[in-house]
Amino acid sequence: DEEILTCRIVGFYPFPGGPPRGSIAGYLFRDTHQAILIRSSSKNYPVRSISIDYMTEGGQSNPVWWNESAKWAVLLGGSIRGEIRVRGLPSDYDSVDDADYIAGDSSPVIGPKMRRIVRAARAYDREMNLYRNNCRIFCARMEREVEAINNRNKEGGLVEEVELGELGDDGGNWVVATTMATTTVAVD
């Protein structure tokens, strides 16, 4: 059966214990962080659902959460190191070289389209910036990537890529140009 990916972006408070209760701050910060949940339609692989998010490197231990000068540097436009967290894969899934198999097993853990989205996430730019590259932007880009992966033609052709500069971003990064308002064109 053909593998089709679906995704949904979810918001949550990123740290244990939840946001402060009974205050306006608790209400405002309840969905501070975003992650993307991705599901595969294929029943041929043991892993059919994963969660991916983009967080400060080291999570709560990153100085931006407790050091005032680091906080101000970020608020004024500075960048910090981020990390991609993929949840739902087995603990012995090789995260270094994207191996498709669990050690000692000869069957793939995830389908080919799910593997492509995991690879795209792991290749994502790790320079986190409050205004240009944060968890919300990451989720939006992964949502577009899921759409692009699903729209690749069955003969293996590629979806046409455009430089982000053509879409109004001067970052010089490459993305697959797919939106709800455009039609994806397969290129042989």
Side-chain angles (χ1 to χ4, degrees):
D1 70 300
E2 181 186 356
E3 180 180 27
I4 301 295
L5 299 179
T6 58
C7 64
R8 180 171 60 102
I9 296 175
V10 294
F12 59 95
Y13 188 74
F15 302 123
R21 298 202 185 274
S23 70
I24 190 74
Y27 177 78
L28 292 174
F29 294 119
R30 73 186 188 287
D31 291 335
T32 303
H33 189 60
Q34 288 189 343
I36 186 165
L37 305 176
I38 303 169
R39 295 177 198 260
S40 170
S41 65
S42 179
K43 295 176 176 53
N44 297 331
Y45 306 96
V47 174
R48 295 180 50 210
S49 178
I50 61 172
S51 168
I52 307 174
D53 73 334
Y54 182 53
M55 181 68 175
T56 54
E57 189 173 66
Q60 279 183 290
S61 66
N62 191 294
V64 76
W65 298 110
W66 47 266
N67 181 304
E68 287 299 317
S69 62
K71 285 180 188 179
W72 276 105
V74 169
L75 285 172
L76 294 173
S79 295
I80 56 173
R81 190 86 177 132
E83 69 183 16
I84 304 297
R85 298 185 296 191
V86 180
R87 297 184 175 130
L89 294 175
S91 59
D92 54 353
Y93 185 84
D94 188 347
S95 63
V96 176
D97 63 3
D98 287 331
D100 299 331
Y101 306 95
I102 295 177
D105 193 354
S106 61
S107 55
V109 174
I110 57 178
K113 289 184 178 182
M114 186 76 85
R115 183 171 50 252
R116 277 184 268 191
I117 198 68
V118 169
R119 286 183 177 159
R122 289 184 177 154
Y124 190 75
D125 177 17
R126 304 292 170 92
E127 285 302 309
M128 181 176 261
N129 182 286
L130 186 60
Y131 308 106
R132 294 185 317 272
N133 192 21
N134 56 48
C135 64
R136 293 170 187 269
I137 292 169
F138 169 79
C139 286
R141 288 183 177 175
M142 289 299 106
E143 189 175 43
R144 284 193 314 224
E145 188 67 22
V146 165
E147 183 76 22
I149 288 170
N150 281 334
N151 286 328
R152 292 186 186 213
N153 69 11
K154 293 183 179 169
E155 290 79 41
L158 297 175
V159 174
E160 184 176 8
E161 295 180 340
V162 297
E163 193 163 352
L164 269 177
E166 297 174 31
L167 300 174
D169 182 301
D170 60 351
N173 298 313
W174 289 85
V175 296
V176 177
T178 59
T179 65
M180 299 301 270
T182 63
T183 303
T184 305
V185 178
V187 178
D188 291 336

